């Protein structure tokens, strides 16, 4: 086992080193909502969800420049036409100019609205808020940028103005934190994980009641990890990796109508919390809980300040978070209510 861990750490050291640390890209340096027009063969993309890229243009409102882009469908559940009327997209750029908010970007995930019904706008905004809440707790997290997007077909017909958000590229997350992307095998040992960050990962997922993840293994036949990306210290530094969660639409906080908990957990619905952190990290979990309690006002502010979020939606989400903070109100309560189910 020790030999496998050493080989695994060597694999981290051999990944290509990150470029020199860079500042935050302009796209993610502002909380302002972007107003965009994306024009292209959107009806074809909606009808045919193959992964072949389609040429399109992106225009930032208030400018005349059309950025050439390609659009590709992505995802698993939300890409299915029987789940979502509109699929999530990957947007690829070709050298955006220096004065563009997309300067420096090459490829970004775009979280879209799934369906046209107003409720689905709220699901998008709640998932966006989840990323923002994690940003409060750790810089080792994906930053996001909210946008109102007018989707225009190549024949000029608008398919509607909808909220969506872009997710920061993993390489930029790594560079912001003075690290690099970690290339991992299918399954990694618990000892390979940063104890502090793994405890934060698990408690954050517990806070939003998300169970659709693994910070140690990927889906069968795929590399690590499921709805988690890993960053690691620079080349030659043998240290634990940091798991970074993403994809929160199956969480109880969002409570999308298609979301179901994993069958193996035997819980009734996604609003029911079940802690899935590791017992080996319980010592750090107490420290993370202290941090979360101290930053509770900022966490709530990240939620309630979300543009476009309906006050009733925000109130329900706040009440949902209240129950989590009641369960971590003290070390004794945390142990009895949360950590008792550790793995």
């Amino acid at each position: 086992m020790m030999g496998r861990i050493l080989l695994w750490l060597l694999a981290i050291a051999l990944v290509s080193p990150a470029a020199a640390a860079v500042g935050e890209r302009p796209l993610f340096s502002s909380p302002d909502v972007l107003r965009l027009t994306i024009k292209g063969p959107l009806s074809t993309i909606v009808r045919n969800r193959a992964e072949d890229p389609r040429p399109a243009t992106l225009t930032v409102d208030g400018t005349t420049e059309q950025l050439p882009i390609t659009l590709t469908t992505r995802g698993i559940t939300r890409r299915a036409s029987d789940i979502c009327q509109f699929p999530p997209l990957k947007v690829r750029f070709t050298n955006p100019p220096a004065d563009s908010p997309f300067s420096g970007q090459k490829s970004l995930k775009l979280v879209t609205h799934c369906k046209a019904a107003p409720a689905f706008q709220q699901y998008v905004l709640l998932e966006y808020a989840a990323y923002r809440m994690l940003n409060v707790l750790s810089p080792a997290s994906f930053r996001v940028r909210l946008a109102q997007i007018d989707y225009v077909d190549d024949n000029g017909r608008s398919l509607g103005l909808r909220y969506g958000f872009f997710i920061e590229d993993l390489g930029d997350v790594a560079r912001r934190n003075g690290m690099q992307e970690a290339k991992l095998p299918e399954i990694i040992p618990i000892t390979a994980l940063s104890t502090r960050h793994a405890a934060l990962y698990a408690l954050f997922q517990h806070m939003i009641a998300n169970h659709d993840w693994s910070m140690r293994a990927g889906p069968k036949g795929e590399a690590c990890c499921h709805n988690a990306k890993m960053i690691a210290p620079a080349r030659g530094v043998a240290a634990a990796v940091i798991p970074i969660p993403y994809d929160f639409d199956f969480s109880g906080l969002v409570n999308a109508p298609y979301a179901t908990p994993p069958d193996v957990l035997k819980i009734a619905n996604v609003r029911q919390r079940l802690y899935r952190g590791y017992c080996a990290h319980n010592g750090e979990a107490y420290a993370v809980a202290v941090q979360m309690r101290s930053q509770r006002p900022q966490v709530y502010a990240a939620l309630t300040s979300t543009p476009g979020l309906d006050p009733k939606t925000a109130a329900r989400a706040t009440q949902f978070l209240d129950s989590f903070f009641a369960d971590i109100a003290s070390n004794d309560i945390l142990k009895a209510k949360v950590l008792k189910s550790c793995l």
Side-chain angles (χ1 to χ4, degrees), residues 14 30 48 91 118 176 302:
L14 291 178
S30 170
N48 177 9
V91 183
R176 279 196 295 105

Side-chain angles (χ1 to χ4, degrees), residues 127 129-135 137 198-210 213 245-246 248 253 273 275 288 292 299 321 324:
E127 187 174 8
Y131 282 93
R132 297 280 289 175
M133 289 188 285
L134 184 56
N135 294 159
L137 298 169
L200 174 60
Y201 183 114
L203 271 179
F204 175 79
Q205 299 280 33
H206 189 68
M207 180 179 81
I208 65 172
N210 187 32
W213 58 268
Y246 67 95
F248 305 128
L253 178 78
R273 291 185 175 94
Y275 185 67
V288 169
M292 296 178 86
V299 169
L321 295 179
F324 165 78

Side-chain angles (χ1 to χ4, degrees), residues 79-295:
R79 197 170 99 188
S81 58
D82 60 334
I83 299 294
C84 287
Q85 297 167 345
F86 197 95
L89 299 170
K90 177 168 282 190
V91 183
R92 295 187 184 276
F93 299 85
T94 304
N95 298 322
D99 60 349
S100 168
F102 294 94
S103 175
Q105 300 297 339
K106 293 182 179 179
S107 177
L108 292 171
K109 291 180 179 179
L110 174 59
V111 176
T112 56
H113 52 280
C114 183
K115 293 187 178 182
F120 282 84
Q121 290 286 268
Q122 298 301 302
Y123 302 140
V124 169
L125 296 171
L126 285 169
E127 187 174 8
Y128 165 82
Y131 282 93
R132 297 280 289 175
M133 289 188 285
L134 184 56
N135 294 159
V136 169
L137 298 169
S138 174
S141 57
F142 287 102
R143 294 189 176 176
V144 286
R145 182 72 182 270
L146 191 63
Q148 282 190 311
I149 305 167
D150 187 10
Y151 294 98
V152 179
D153 213 354
D154 49 9
N155 63 7
R157 181 175 66 92
S158 175
L159 303 185
L161 183 68
R162 299 286 185 270
Y163 278 111
F165 63 89
F166 293 93
I167 302 176
E168 186 180 24
D169 179 75
L170 178 62
D172 286 341
V173 179
R175 281 187 285 271
R176 279 196 295 105
N177 288 275
M179 297 191 177
Q180 62 187 14
E181 300 177 47
K183 308 289 186 182
L184 304 172
E186 185 176 342
I187 300 175
I188 64 172
I190 293 175
T191 52
L193 296 167
S194 161
T195 304
R196 175 75 179 204
H197 288 91
L200 174 60
Y201 183 114
L203 271 179
F204 175 79
Q205 299 280 33
H206 189 68
M207 180 179 81
I208 65 172
N210 187 32
H211 307 99
D212 184 30
W213 58 268
S214 170
M215 66 176 105
R216 288 190 56 217
K220 187 174 181 180
E222 297 184 21
C224 186
C225 292
H226 179 49
N227 288 339
K229 296 294 184 181
M230 302 288 187
I231 60 176
R235 176 194 288 267
V237 178
V241 296
I242 295 174
I244 304 176
Y246 67 95
D247 208 354
F248 305 128
D249 63 314
F250 267 59
S251 69
L253 178 78
V254 174
N255 200 25
Y258 55 78
T260 55
D263 291 339
V264 68
L265 299 184
K266 301 187 185 307
I267 56 178
N269 56 66
V270 294
R271 299 279 281 184
Q272 183 178 346
R273 291 185 175 94
L274 179 66
Y275 185 67
R276 298 182 55 222
Y278 295 109
C279 301
H281 301 155
N282 280 359
E284 284 290 349
Y286 289 113
V288 169
V290 171
Q291 177 196 350
M292 296 178 86
R293 290 196 294 267
S294 70
Q295 293 187 291

